[in-house]
Amino acid sequence: MSDDTPPHGFSPRTASYEADPEQVGRVLLLYSGGLDTSVMLKWIQDEYGAEVVCLTVNLGQPDEDYEVIKGKAIQLGALDCHIVDAREEFAREYVAPAIKANALYGNYPLFTALGRPLIAKLAVEHARRAGCDTIAHGCTGKGNDQVRIEATVATLAPELKVIAPVRSWEMGRDEEIAYAREHGIPIKGSHPPGTEAAPYSIDDNLWGRSSEGRWIEDLDHAPEDDVFQLVTRPEEAPDEAEIIELQFERGLPIALNGERLGLVELIERTAEIGARHGVGIVDHIEDRIVGLKVRDIYEAPAAAIVLPAHQELERLVCTIHQNQFKPQLERQWAYLVYAGLWWEPLRSDLDAYMERVNEQVTGTIGMRLYRGSARVVTRSSPNAVYDASLASFAQSGGPFSQAASPGFIELFSLQSRMAWRLRNRF
Ligand code: ARG
């Protein structure tokens, strides 16, 4: 092939970390077993004449059969397919700081954004170990995930290159299906040719599940029932409320209904209970990193219970000044992480603050779950900056003197009263 005509599907390189097709020898492919990455597995071998090693990461996405995924990868010519169970690391290193930072972007409890930097970090480790020169992923050129993955690879492994075939191969879904048929790539749910309904674009892990595409792109289209594969629709949830208790120690949940559990299991069990009660559905418009607005349907039952519980306990043990300050940092934390800058030093600077505040966040929160809602109903903490006898209207005395209140009010309102008088000239 001559130097000035790139082979079919290769666009000229824009970034320095993008692979030069001539130099791709062995590729680490982030493989899900779905249509895009299966077509990609074959396509990379054909178009680049390269070897492919696959990596599939288990972050707690439900109903995945990793043996089947591995078998499919090998059948499609992968040298190997590494399956990594990263649930513990994901919970400890990514979800835990998100809990301490009450991480929400808009109303979206970050989960995909937490998973991608870990997936990309594991891709780097496995690429190095397997002697790969390039990492390939299945993200599109319009989304956030390409940013998160490539920013991670470029940060952690400047020697590795990246290819993102979906950005360049210019195959639509029909062409991909045709390519799959032509190359003997099994397609899930074997419909007769041409009748496959395009699936939703799904991403999930133990902290949540997102769906995009199809009717979700029509903003005036109300959610269709079949999108909810994790959370029971609230109208079908039990007509009886359930109260659960979450016990926290230094900012992290450690027990559910009195039973001590590791974080992964606690999240999984909380998700199960929340899902049963229809908790955690978010129909969300968000501002993507690359400028587009997009609508997502999220199902995040564990996050919809753990985050409000954590937040409530934190407010109870913090002072008014801490409570007013922390949300500003939380917003910054959530934006950095949403925007793929997990490895940015400001994120760990912010974590240091989150850690410090969370040293006090110990106690128990009761949540009432009922048909789509999760509401705090009880709180207790040895560190609560709360004294029932001081707060009570019934009593007087101690360090709170009601007699001091009028003096406080006079001084506290002084500037506001002066300004009011000036503006109203009396
Ligand atoms: N909008 C969410 C985010 O950026 C979810 C993205 C989900 N990715 C997907 N491949 N469907 O974090």
Side-chain angles (χ1 to χ4, degrees):
M1 138 197 351
S2 84
D3 280 356
D4 47 358
T5 47
H8 165 73
F10 296 135
S11 39
R13 289 179 299 150
T14 305
S16 60
Y17 64 76
E18 287 182 287
D20 171 354
E22 304 294 318
Q23 286 176 4
V24 176
R26 185 179 292 175
V27 176
L28 187 291
L29 169 64
L30 283 165
Y31 185 62
S32 72
L35 180 66
D36 283 340
T37 54
S38 295
V39 167
M40 202 171 291
L41 172 45
K42 227 24 222 165
W43 188 86
I44 291 170
Q45 297 171 74
D46 288 353
E47 298 286 320
Y48 290 85
E51 297 174 320
V52 181
V53 176
C54 290
L55 172 65
T56 304
V57 182
N58 174 1
L59 294 183
Q61 51 277 44
D63 306 322
E64 229 31 303
D65 187 334
Y66 293 100
E67 283 313 305
V68 170
I69 294 175
K70 183 175 178 139
K72 194 169 174 184
I74 303 293
Q75 185 204 328
L76 294 175
L79 292 185
D80 201 352
C81 180
H82 304 278
I83 307 288
V84 177
D85 182 350
R87 286 176 298 168
E88 290 294 337
E89 185 177 5
F90 181 54
R92 201 178 54 243
E93 305 292 334
Y94 297 79
V95 179
I99 294 171
K100 291 178 181 172
N102 297 311
L104 289 178
Y105 178 71
N107 290 323
Y108 159 41
L110 300 182
F111 55 87
T112 296
L114 299 172
R116 298 307 185 195
L118 172 55
I119 289 172
K121 188 194 87 164
L122 292 169
V124 165
E125 289 169 9
H126 283 260
R128 284 177 173 160
R129 230 176 284 154
C132 298
D133 43 61
T134 303
I135 289 174
H137 63 74
C139 309
T140 82
K142 289 189 172 178
N144 293 327
D145 293 326
Q146 54 169 351
V147 182
R148 297 163 181 155
I149 288 175
E150 293 179 19
T152 297
V153 173
T155 303
L156 301 184
E159 82 282 9
L160 292 174
K161 302 291 179 196
V162 173
I163 55 178
V166 175
R167 268 196 314 233
S168 56
W169 67 19
E170 287 173 354
M171 281 193 270
R173 197 169 167 80
D174 293 344
E175 285 101 332
E176 274 189 59
I177 289 172
Y179 186 98
R181 291 214 141 87
E182 219 173 283
H183 293 80
I185 299 168
I187 303 169
K188 260 191 211 160
S190 46
H191 307 273
T195 63
E196 289 85 357
Y200 298 108
S201 167
I202 306 290
D203 182 61
D204 54 5
N205 61 45
L206 55 87
W207 201 226
R209 166 187 167 91
S210 97
S211 304
E212 297 177 352
R214 295 183 54 191
W215 54 263
I216 301 171
E217 290 168 2
D218 299 330
L219 303 188
D220 62 354
H221 194 121
E224 289 184 16
D225 294 348
D226 72 348
V227 74
F228 300 112
Q229 296 293 320
L230 182 62
V231 173
T232 308
R233 292 186 306 122
E235 52 272 46
E236 286 171 357
D239 192 21
E240 202 159 318
E242 180 170 350
I243 292 180
I244 62 165
E245 273 195 349
L246 279 178
Q247 188 187 336
F248 289 83
E249 206 172 84
R250 297 166 81 86
L252 292 181
I254 53 149
L256 172 63
N257 293 330
E259 187 184 349
R260 265 190 105 93
L261 296 169
L263 191 52
V264 170
E265 200 177 350
L266 186 139
I267 291 170
E268 285 173 348
R269 292 232 214 140
T270 306
E272 215 175 281
I273 301 171
R276 190 161 67 237
H277 287 281
V279 168
I281 294 173
V282 186
D283 182 338
H284 199 236
I285 301 288
E286 77 197 27
D287 290 297
R288 272 192 189 152
I289 311 161
V290 295
L292 297 168
K293 278 194 200 296
V294 67
R295 179 186 186 201
D296 274 81
I297 306 285
Y298 293 118
E299 296 165 86
I305 295 169
V306 172
L307 291 180
H310 172 266
Q311 202 161 33
E312 178 80 356
L313 189 57
E314 197 178 65
R315 286 209 192 99
L316 192 61
V317 303
C318 285
T319 66
I320 180 174
H321 306 290
Q322 292 175 299
N323 283 333
Q324 286 184 354
F325 181 65
K326 190 164 177 281
Q328 301 171 45
L329 300 195
E330 290 171 354
R331 205 168 306 124
Q332 190 76 40
W333 194 97
Y335 177 69
L336 284 178
V337 173
Y338 181 83
L341 300 181
W342 179 264
W343 310 99
E344 152 66 44
L346 179 58
R347 201 261 313 163
S348 44
D349 296 349
L350 293 172
D351 274 337
Y353 181 78
M354 305 300 173
E355 282 296 325
R356 173 76 180 173
V357 172
N358 274 278
E359 284 172 9
Q360 300 300 315
V361 183
T362 294
T364 302
I365 296 289
M367 304 281 296
R368 182 181 186 273
L369 314 180
Y370 180 68
R371 294 204 152 170
S373 79
R375 177 158 62 82
V376 176
V377 286
T378 60
R379 313 114 178 108
S380 77
S381 169
N383 304 332
V385 187
Y386 176 81
D387 180 333
S389 64
L390 282 185
S392 167
F393 290 111
Q395 295 185 28
S396 211
F400 195 100
S401 161
Q402 296 201 41
S405 282
F408 164 75
I409 295 165
E410 178 156 61
L411 302 187
F412 183 63
S413 64
L414 178 61
Q415 287 199 8
S416 306
R417 288 186 289 112
M418 287 169 71
W420 178 267
R421 189 183 306 175
L422 281 166
R423 284 163 184 61
N424 293 280
R425 302 189 192 293
F426 68 86

